[in-house]
Amino acid sequence: MVEKVFENIAEAAQRYTGNARTAIDYGLFQKVIMDRSKQAADYSPDEWLGLRQFVSDDFQRVGNFKEVMTFDDMVGFLQAWAPDAALGGIIQTSVRSRQRRVSRVGGAG
């Protein structure tokens, strides 16, 4: 069996370009804001607006139950949800999942 090797996602991201890199950067940005929403005294809900740099003008998020959110809907949801979400919640899990996938692929996208 091959031993699993994990590396820091920010370091692994350096090997990627294009949409793959944008997806990783989106997750990393979201993780930073999620952590700030719980810990930083100077946190502002408006920090979520920075996600705009990662999405197209016609962005739509389709959720697990096929609910559709525009960018503004999603930011409003994150602004309300993040400060009270469990620290080990979905954002942290999502970044860890990306870290595992990136370490397995090992190539540029």
Side-chain angles (χ1 to χ4, degrees), residues 34-73:
M34 184 74 170
D35 289 347
R36 284 186 48 75
S37 75
K38 295 174 183 356
Q39 301 166 359
D42 64 342
Y43 163 75
S44 167
D46 288 341
E47 292 178 47
W48 288 102
L49 296 172
L51 287 173
R52 170 69 72 194
Q53 67 184 310
F54 299 104
V55 300
S56 64
D57 291 338
D58 61 347
F59 171 87
Q60 288 187 325
R61 178 200 179 271
V62 179
N64 293 339
F65 301 103
K66 298 186 181 177
E67 70 280 11
V68 177
M69 290 186 194
T70 65
F71 178 78
D72 292 334
D73 295 336

Side-chain angles (χ1 to χ4, degrees), residues 8-27:
N8 179 291
I9 188 70
E11 292 172 16
Q14 301 301 313
R15 294 192 308 266
Y16 292 82
T17 60
N19 288 340
R21 177 60 187 266
T22 301
I24 294 168
D25 288 344
Y26 177 95

Side-chain angles (χ1 to χ4, degrees), residues 90-101:
I90 194 162
I91 302 300
Q92 188 171 9
T93 301
S94 177
V95 170
R96 284 185 182 153
S97 175
R98 283 189 188 95
Q99 183 174 3
R100 283 193 292 272
R101 284 182 289 193

